Amino acid sequence: MRVLGLDPGLRQTGWGVIDSKGSAVSHVANGHARSKGQKLAEKLASLFSQLSEIVDAYQPEEVAVEQTFVNSNFAGSLLLGHARGVAILAAARVGIPVSEYAATSVKKAVVGVGHAEKSQVETMVKLQLPNADIKGADAADALAIALAHTAISGFGNRLDAALAKAEREMV
């Protein structure tokens, strides 16, 4: 399964692509989409165009996006929400399923601790993807989101299979 992880931001959105087969994962690519323009609409259009190109180039089967954490800076949270919407739309426009994860869930899946530091997340991403040339913190976060998605969805798939098997055996 090919997964595109996205760490949305209005100025810069980190992205990372991994391939997953069973418990084995491998790095495909990573980088940043940097918004261009002065007005909000120009920035969003720029991000959408770049993210659409990434989706078209790498053909992910699934996309994982970090959820917005709303804090006391409501204006900043709203702008981040716009960037998330564009990121989700870039995948949804071609019918790719999109999953969303809280930052604490990503950290727990990748590091083992829900309140891990950014440096700990990047270290664990480098350990899990040793051949990756990571293009910065936002790209590392995007790869972490993709890794978390494979771990969480893999667990869900195994749980569903076990429940189905148990149900068949009860009949």
Side-chain angles (χ1 to χ4, degrees):
M1 168 177 58
R2 179 161 285 184
V3 178
L4 169 62
L6 296 171
D7 182 27
L10 184 58
R11 290 189 189 115
Q12 178 171 282
T13 292
W15 61 272
V17 181
I18 63 170
D19 283 336
S20 163
K21 186 172 185 181
S23 62
V25 293
S26 59
H27 174 262
V28 176
N30 71 88
H32 301 94
R34 291 183 175 88
S35 64
K36 299 174 183 131
Q38 297 299 315
K39 297 183 179 185
L40 177 62
E42 295 169 335
K43 291 178 181 182
L44 294 173
S46 164
L47 284 175
F48 178 75
S49 176
Q50 293 173 65
L51 294 174
S52 293
E53 288 175 12
I54 292 163
V55 167
D56 293 344
Y58 293 103
Q59 300 285 306
E61 296 166 66
E62 297 182 14
V63 172
V65 181
E66 188 173 80
Q67 289 178 333
T68 301
F69 173 74
V70 180
N71 56 29
S72 59
N73 180 356
F74 297 115
S77 295
L78 183 59
L79 292 173
L80 178 57
H82 290 315
R84 282 187 74 251
V86 164
I88 291 168
L89 181 60
R93 73 177 172 82
V94 291
I96 300 171
V98 178
S99 298
E100 302 175 64
Y101 298 97
T104 53
S105 297
V106 172
K107 291 174 181 179
K108 181 104 174 151
V110 174
V111 179
V113 179
H115 296 288
E117 298 293 325
K118 210 166 180 71
S119 61
Q120 291 173 300
V121 173
E122 189 166 351
T123 297
M124 290 306 291
V125 168
K126 287 178 180 177
L127 286 172
Q128 292 182 54
L129 303 170
N131 297 323
D133 176 20
I134 300 173
K135 310 286 191 229
D138 292 328
D141 287 348
L143 288 166
I145 294 162
L147 288 167
H149 175 71
T150 62
I152 293 167
S153 67
F155 173 76
N157 292 340
R158 289 190 304 275
L159 179 60
D160 290 345
L163 290 172
K165 181 180 177 186
E167 187 176 298
R168 283 190 308 272
E169 292 175 357
M170 290 176 62
V171 178

